[in-house]
Amino acid sequence: MRVTRGTKSQLYSGQGGLIIRRDSILVGYSNERSRNPQMKQLDKKWSKTLGPVPTSPTVYYEDHSYVEFEALNLEDHILFSAFWQVLDGDVFQLQDYARSKFATKLRAAARYIEENREKIISENGALSLDGLDYSTLSDDEDVLKEFSQPKIGSIIEGYKLVRELGGGAFGSVFLAQSIEDKDAMVAFKLMKPRPGPEFKAGQVGFMHQAEEFLAEAKNSLNFTAAPYVMNAHEMGMYPWPWIAYPLVRGGTVKEVSAYRGISDRDWWELAHDLVSGLNSIHQEGLVHLDIKPDNIMRHEDRFMIMDLGVSMVTGYEFGQLPSGTIVYMAPEILEARLRGDRSFKPSGVADVFSAGLTLLWCLTGRYHIDPRTITSQATAEEQVFRSLLKNGVEIFDLPAEKQALLKKMLQVDPKLRATANELLFDIAPKVDMDLKVQQVERAKFALSEGALGQLEGGENARFKERIDGPLKTWMPFQNQLRAITEEIRPAFFSADIYFNSGREWMYVQALYAAGGWVLECQSEVFMDSGLKDSQKQKLIALGWNPPTESSPNYERIVDMISAEKMANLFVDALEQAYGVLLSEISYIEFKIQNKNAY
C-alpha cells in the first residue's frame, strides 16, 4: 500500500506495508522524493498510540505524528476499508476478539461485500458498512471450523489421498487421485504442524503457521507461464492446510544425483533451467532464499524449482529475517541473520550463490564447508559465515567452462556476483536452445490450449479492422468488442488508437487465458510523452495493476465478462486516466490472433 507519515517537521510518502498485531502496529514506509528511498520501520504498542481514526485509515501517535494508508488496487482497497470500518477505532477488539465478536463482524462484512460485489466495484470501491447490525450476531458464528489431520483414504476437495510420497520439515506430500477422473493425479502437500502444546489446531500459532505454509502456493501462482518454476493448482485451509501441485514423475536433483550421478549434458541443462527459473522469480520481484538440490525437481524434459515457502518480496522485508538452509545460504544472508538485521533487503544474487553451491554439489558431492566441522546447531550460522569470509568457495579440478561459470556465481561479495539474467548468456551455447524455446512457448500457451494452433473461423463475424473517427459515442468500439469476443473468439486482440490532435497513438489489448481475460492498457514504458503521477494513481484506483518487468503494461485479470463490461473497463481507463476525448480520435485499428481459440 501507499504509506504517508507526517511529523511536526517532515512528511514521508511512498510505497510501504502494514502489519497489525493484537498488541502492536508495525509500519514500513519510504520516501519516494528522497535520493535514497530506503524502507524505514515504525513498531509501536497500541498503548503508545492515540489509536486509529475510525473514519479514515490513519493512526496517530503520542507525539502527534501520524501514518496514513492507501491501498494500491481496488481489491485491496475494498478489503482494507472493510477491516478498518469493523475495527472502528477500537483496538480493544483485537485483544479480546471473542467478547467483541470481531471475527464474526469481519465475516458479516465479507458476506456483505460478496453479495454486493458488482455494485461496490462499479462505484470504484465505495463501501459503507453502516447498515450492518452486529447486535443480532450469534456467538456460535465465532466457533472455528474443526480441523482434522487427513489420513490415507481421506477426500479433500474432490481428491482422494492414495499414499504418502515423502516430505520435509514443513509438509508431507501424498499422491492424490481425482474422484471424477480416475486418471487425474496430483501431488497433495499437507502442512506438518510444529511440535509443542502452543500449536493446537485452530489456535493462533497454528493459524499463523498455516498462513506461512499457504504463502508457498500463493507465491507460486505468479509463475503459471514459467516452464522452470513449479506452480500450485489449488490450495485450501480445511479440513487441514493443503496445496495441490501437478504430479511430477521424476525425482529431486538430490535423489537423481545420489542414485546415478549427473551427466555433463544434464548438468548444463540443470544450470540453464535453474538460472532461467531464478530469472523468472527475480523479474516478479521475489527472492527464493532456499535453493538447494532438494528443492529442484526433474520433470520430463526439464528441471523445475519448487517450494517458495520462505521467499520474500523485494523491498517489503521489514520486520522479518531472511530464512533458508544454512549450508546453501549466501554470506550476506548469514551476516544479516547473525546481526539480527530485520531491515536487510536480500536481492536475487543471494539465490545465484545458492544455485552455484547446488551445481557444485551435483558435480563433486562436496560443500564449501565440511559439515562434520560444525560443532553445534546453535553456532552453525556463525561457523559457515566465518568459513566463507576466510576461505570463500574453493573451485578446483573442474573443466574450465564449468569452473568459470561457478566462479561468477560464488563470489563472496554480492556486488561482484553475476545476476541470473547475465548467466544465461554464458549457459546458452551449452544447451539445445531450440528445445528451450519450445519449453518456454509450451508454458506460455498452457494457460490457453486453444491458442496453440492458428485456427481459422469467424469469417461471417460483423467485424471491421478499422473504425474511422471522430466518434460521437463509444458504441462502435463496444460493438467491435462484441463481434470479437462473441463471434471471432480470438486468443488475443488489440485496439490501436490514433489521434488527429498530434497526440501519440496508444493501444489497449486483451489475452484470453484460462477461461477469462487478461486486459492491458499501454504504460508509460511505451508512451513517448509518459504519464503523470496523477494519471498512474487513477489507473490503480480504477483497479489496474501497475507494470512489472515481466508484464510492462497496466493489467487486470477478469472472468469471461460481456463486451459491454469489457468496453466500460477500457473506456473508464481511456477517459479518466489517459484523458482521451472522442472528438480527437482519428481512427481505431483492431488486430486479432488465433480465431476460434475458445
Side-chain angles (χ1 to χ4, degrees):
M1 49 179 52
R2 186 175 187 82
V3 178
T4 300
R5 183 183 181 223
T7 67
K8 291 180 180 179
S9 59
Q10 288 182 296
L11 186 68
Y12 306 87
S13 185
Q15 288 200 347
L18 167 67
I19 296 175
I20 293 179
R21 304 190 184 106
R22 295 182 189 278
D23 62 342
S24 64
I25 176 173
L26 174 62
V27 179
Y29 64 96
S30 62
N31 188 6
E32 62 188 16
R33 298 174 187 152
S34 170
R35 292 182 180 177
N36 186 24
Q38 294 292 319
M39 188 79 76
K40 300 180 181 180
Q41 296 181 42
L42 193 62
D43 193 356
K44 294 281 188 180
K45 297 288 186 184
W46 282 115
S47 58
K48 298 297 183 182
T49 74
L50 298 178
V53 178
T55 55
S56 71
T58 308
V59 174
Y60 277 91
Y61 295 89
E62 289 181 334
D63 59 1
H64 296 284
S65 65
Y66 69 91
V67 284
E68 186 177 52
F69 310 100
E70 179 187 357
L72 290 179
N73 62 59
L74 186 60
E75 189 74 17
D76 286 350
H77 164 76
I78 293 169
L79 295 174
F80 186 60
S81 174
F83 175 85
W84 204 262
Q85 289 184 56
V86 172
L87 186 62
D88 197 28
D90 182 9
V91 295
F92 168 78
Q93 296 185 86
L94 299 174
Q95 279 98 50
D96 195 351
Y97 64 92
R99 194 184 311 172
S100 65
K101 298 184 179 179
F102 188 60
T104 303
K105 293 177 184 178
L106 285 175
R107 280 194 286 277
R111 282 196 297 272
Y112 177 82
I113 291 171
E114 202 59 40
E115 292 167 0
N116 298 275
R117 177 173 291 277
E118 288 192 12
K119 178 176 182 293
I120 294 168
I121 290 176
S122 68
E123 295 176 354
N124 292 327
L127 174 67
S128 174
L129 301 179
D130 292 342
L132 286 184
D133 182 8
Y134 301 126
S135 63
T136 60
L137 296 177
S138 167
D139 288 336
D140 293 337
E141 291 193 46
D142 264 332
V143 177
L144 290 169
K145 289 184 181 179
E146 184 177 345
F147 288 93
S148 58
Q149 196 159 8
K151 302 176 182 178
I152 301 297
S154 298
I155 296 175
I156 305 173
E157 292 294 322
Y159 288 97
K160 182 178 180 180
L161 302 186
V162 178
R163 69 174 185 272
E164 188 168 356
L165 298 175
F170 302 107
S172 301
V173 181
F174 294 81
L175 176 68
Q177 181 183 50
S178 170
I179 300 299
E180 295 183 358
D181 181 1
K182 302 297 184 184
D183 294 327
M185 298 285 190
V186 298
F188 231 77
K189 188 172 183 179
L190 298 175
M191 185 183 80
K192 186 179 292 183
R194 295 172 188 149
E198 69 276 16
F199 283 96
K200 293 180 180 177
Q203 297 302 307
V204 174
F206 177 93
M207 300 302 286
H208 181 66
Q209 185 190 346
E211 285 297 324
E212 290 179 337
F213 173 78
L214 294 176
E216 170 189 330
K218 293 173 185 175
N219 287 335
S220 80
L221 295 176
N222 290 310
F223 306 106
T224 52
Y228 310 117
V229 184
M230 185 77 70
N231 57 82
H233 281 329
E234 300 175 75
M235 59 186 171
M237 184 72 81
Y238 298 100
W240 195 263
W242 59 272
I243 305 170
Y245 282 104
L247 183 63
V248 178
R249 300 291 181 180
T252 67
V253 165
K254 185 174 184 179
E255 292 166 344
V256 171
S257 297
Y259 176 66
R260 56 179 173 83
I262 190 164
S263 68
D264 181 73
R265 177 183 173 182
D266 280 351
W267 189 88
W268 283 109
E269 292 276 326
L270 170 61
H272 173 275
D273 298 354
L274 175 53
V275 170
S276 184
L278 286 178
N279 193 41
S280 298
I281 290 170
H282 299 161
Q283 283 184 339
E284 286 297 328
L286 289 172
V287 185
H288 188 286
L289 292 176
D290 201 18
I291 294 295
K292 57 184 178 180
D294 311 68
N295 284 340
I296 306 160
M297 202 86 173
R298 183 67 192 248
H299 176 53
E300 297 177 350
D301 59 350
R302 63 192 188 275
F303 294 91
M304 301 185 75
I305 298 171
M306 305 186 301
D307 200 344
L308 287 147
V310 300
S311 63
M312 297 176 79
V313 182
T314 308
Y316 296 88
E317 305 84 356
F318 63 96
Q320 56 183 322
L321 288 172
S323 188
T325 303
I326 294 174
V327 293
Y328 288 98
M329 279 184 184
E332 64 269 26
I333 302 294
L334 289 162
E335 184 178 16
R337 290 181 60 82
L338 289 169
R339 292 203 318 259
D341 183 0
R342 296 181 180 275
S343 63
F344 174 73
K345 299 180 179 357
S347 68
V349 292
D351 288 338
V352 168
F353 190 90
S354 302
L357 290 177
T358 297
L359 291 171
L360 178 65
W361 181 86
C362 289
L363 277 177
T364 65
R366 65 175 182 256
Y367 301 93
H368 60 87
I369 184 174
D370 186 344
R372 291 172 298 182
T373 64
I374 298 175
T375 54
S376 73
Q377 191 66 28
T379 61
E381 289 180 1
E382 185 170 358
Q383 287 182 260
V384 173
F385 178 61
R386 298 301 171 199
S387 173
L388 282 172
L389 286 189
K390 181 179 179 181
N391 306 313
V393 181
E394 294 185 0
I395 306 169
F396 52 89
D397 297 334
L398 298 177
E401 290 173 314
K402 292 180 179 177
Q403 189 162 306
L405 178 71
L406 292 177
K407 281 185 176 179
K408 288 185 177 183
M409 301 177 75
L410 294 171
Q411 292 289 329
V412 172
D413 184 347
K415 294 177 183 177
L416 301 178
R417 209 175 298 148
T419 66
N421 189 56
E422 291 167 345
L423 292 168
L424 284 171
F425 291 93
D426 296 319
I427 299 170
K430 307 299 293 183
V431 297
D432 182 350
M433 285 307 295
D434 289 337
L435 173 63
K436 295 304 169 189
V437 170
Q438 290 173 21
Q439 291 171 348
V440 170
E441 290 302 316
R442 284 205 306 268
K444 279 185 178 180
F445 289 114
L447 288 173
S448 175
E449 293 181 2
L452 282 169
Q454 297 292 329
L455 303 177
E456 294 301 321
E459 290 83 357
N460 299 320
R462 296 181 299 277
F463 171 70
K464 296 179 181 179
E465 291 185 353
R466 172 168 164 161
I467 301 174
D468 289 318
L471 303 178
K472 293 183 179 179
T473 73
W474 286 100
M475 190 57 69
F477 177 74
Q478 179 179 300
N479 290 339
Q480 286 300 90
L481 294 192
R482 183 180 296 109
I484 290 171
T485 58
E486 295 179 8
E487 299 177 50
I488 299 175
R489 306 187 304 281
F492 171 83
F493 73 84
S494 65
D496 298 340
I497 305 169
Y498 295 85
F499 302 95
N500 54 31
S501 58
R503 179 176 179 169
E504 290 289 331
W505 71 280
M506 65 172 297
Y507 63 81
V508 297
Q509 60 191 28
L511 170 71
Y512 172 78
W517 289 98
V518 179
L519 307 182
E520 295 185 351
C521 286
Q522 182 175 344
S523 77
E524 58 274 12
V525 175
F526 303 106
M527 299 183 73
D528 291 341
S529 57
L531 287 175
K532 298 177 181 177
D533 286 345
S534 59
Q535 292 176 294
K536 299 175 189 177
Q537 291 170 6
K538 187 63 181 178
L539 279 165
I540 292 171
L542 287 170
W544 296 84
N545 294 315
T548 65
E549 286 190 35
S550 61
S551 182
N553 290 305
Y554 288 89
E555 177 185 280
R556 64 187 301 164
I557 300 174
V558 297
D559 295 327
M560 283 297 285
I561 57 176
S562 67
E564 289 80 5
K565 287 186 177 181
M566 184 183 291
N568 287 339
L569 293 176
F570 279 135
V571 169
D572 283 347
L574 291 170
E575 289 188 337
Q576 297 182 43
Y578 294 93
V580 171
L581 301 175
L582 284 167
S583 59
E584 65 175 358
I585 294 177
S586 174
Y587 64 94
I588 304 177
E589 188 173 61
F590 293 88
K591 300 173 185 176
I592 58 175
Q593 292 179 14
N594 299 343
K595 301 174 183 179
N596 282 347
Y598 58 92

